[in-house]
Amino acid sequence: MLNQLIKQAAADVASPSRRGFLKGAGGALVLGAMLPRTGFASEAATPKVVGPADPRPQAFIRIAADDTVTVLVKHLDKGQGIMTGLTTIVAEELDADWAQMRGAFAPADGALYANHFFGIQGTGGSTAVANSWDELRMAGAAARAMLVATAAARWSVPASSVTVEKGVVRHAASNRSARFGELAEDAAKLPVPQNVALKDAKDYKLIGNPSLHRLDHVSKTDGTAIFAMDIRRPGQVTAVMARSPRFGGRSRWTPPRPSRFRASWRC
C-alpha cells in the first residue's frame, strides 16, 4: 500500500493535475483577486490620483477650537487599523501632537472620497494606505502651511521663521506661540497652497512609531464602538433563526404556501 502511494505521489509531481495540486496544497494556498463587476469604473473613467498639484485639506481635516484634529477617513476600518494608519499620515505632515488626533469616517460622497484605484468610494484589496498616502500627506502639509501663514500674518514675521511642533505654532525670536485651535478659523479663510514641501522619511516622528496607540482601542474595549449590527432604524425588525432548545433536537418547517414537499433539518 505504501509503495502504491509513493508511486502515485511521484506521478503527480511529474505530471501535476488540478486535483493533485489542490490535494497537495492542503488549504495553505490562498489566491486573492479583484474581479471586475458592474458598477466599477473603467480605467479611463477612474478619477486621477490626487497629487502635489491638488491638495484638499478641507475635505480631510477638521481642526476644532479645542485643538483636536479630526481626520476624515474615506476607507472602512474592519480591524486592519486604517483609522489609525491614515490619521497618522496627516498628523505627521501637520506636525500635530498625537494626543490631539481623532478619526472619523467620511460621509458618502463618491466624487470627493472615491478610491482612486476603483473609481468608486470603497475599501478593499489592501489599497487604503497606498491610495491615500499622497493625498493625505498633501492635505496635512497644506493645512500646516495655512496655519503657519496665519500665525506669521498675526505676528508680522516671515513665514519661514515660524515653526510647528506637537500642535504648537511658534516664533522663537519673539517667544510667541499659538495652538492650532487659535489659528484654525482664520487659516480656513486662506487659499489652499498648491505647492507645499513634504517631509523626508528620515524626519518622520509618528509614521512607523510603534509607541502610538490605536485611536479606536478604547471604544472597542469598553463597548462604546458602533458597528453595523448596532444600527437601529425606525420600524426595523430583526430576523433570527429559531433553533431547538435541545441538543440533537429536530424541527419541522412547513412552507407558508401549499407545496409538494416538506423540509426538516437538524438544529
Side-chain angles (χ1 to χ4, degrees):
M1 181 65 177
L2 178 60
N3 290 336
Q4 291 178 348
L5 292 175
I6 294 175
K7 290 181 180 180
Q8 182 61 49
D12 290 342
V13 172
S15 180
S17 65
R18 181 174 64 178
R19 182 183 297 275
F21 174 75
L22 292 176
K23 286 167 60 180
L29 177 69
V30 179
L31 299 177
M34 185 185 75
L35 302 179
R37 66 175 185 269
T38 302
F40 271 65
S42 66
E43 184 176 352
T46 301
K48 69 182 181 68
V49 176
V50 175
D54 192 14
R56 297 183 297 178
Q58 295 93 335
F60 297 100
I61 303 172
R62 300 287 184 268
I63 300 178
D66 64 357
D67 292 329
T68 56
V69 179
T70 301
V71 177
L72 298 184
V73 176
K74 69 180 185 180
H75 303 277
L76 295 180
D77 192 328
K78 304 172 185 177
Q80 70 273 50
I82 286 175
M83 181 70 73
T84 300
L86 299 187
T87 299
T88 305
I89 297 173
V90 172
E92 185 67 73
E93 292 293 345
L94 194 57
D95 279 317
D97 188 342
W98 185 244
Q100 71 187 120
M101 299 305 297
R102 306 289 186 271
F105 291 115
D109 187 336
L112 191 59
Y113 299 112
N115 183 314
H116 305 298
F117 295 151
F118 300 162
I120 62 172
Q121 187 171 357
T123 306
S126 299
T127 61
V129 173
N131 183 261
S132 298
W133 174 255
D134 288 333
E135 187 172 54
L136 293 182
R137 289 183 72 200
M138 290 304 306
R144 180 186 187 280
M146 294 163 74
L147 292 169
V148 167
T150 300
R154 284 188 185 182
W155 301 332
S156 300
V157 298
S160 59
S161 65
V162 177
T163 60
V164 184
E165 184 178 7
K166 291 189 175 181
V168 178
V169 184
R170 181 175 285 107
H171 183 247
S174 62
N175 196 30
R176 284 178 289 187
S177 65
R179 301 195 62 84
F180 286 178
E182 301 174 56
L183 304 169
E185 185 175 356
D186 289 340
K189 301 173 184 177
L190 297 179
V192 177
Q194 297 300 303
N195 296 293
V196 289
L198 299 177
K199 279 189 178 181
D200 191 290
K202 65 180 177 59
D203 298 321
Y204 289 164
K205 297 177 181 178
L206 299 177
I207 294 177
N209 186 341
S211 67
L212 298 184
H213 63 78
R214 285 182 57 152
L215 295 179
D216 56 359
H217 77 290
V218 173
S219 62
K220 288 184 176 179
T221 301
D222 64 15
T224 58
I226 301 299
F227 296 87
M229 65 184 297
D230 299 318
I231 302 300
R232 296 291 182 270
R233 305 295 299 169
Q236 175 181 326
V237 295
T238 302
V240 296
M241 180 180 291
R243 297 181 180 274
S244 172
R246 298 181 180 278
F247 181 76
R250 297 174 64 87
S251 300
R252 181 172 296 277
W253 169 72
T254 303
R257 294 181 180 180
S259 176
R260 297 178 59 186
F261 70 89
R262 283 179 174 269
S264 64
W265 67 95
R266 287 189 179 275
C267 292

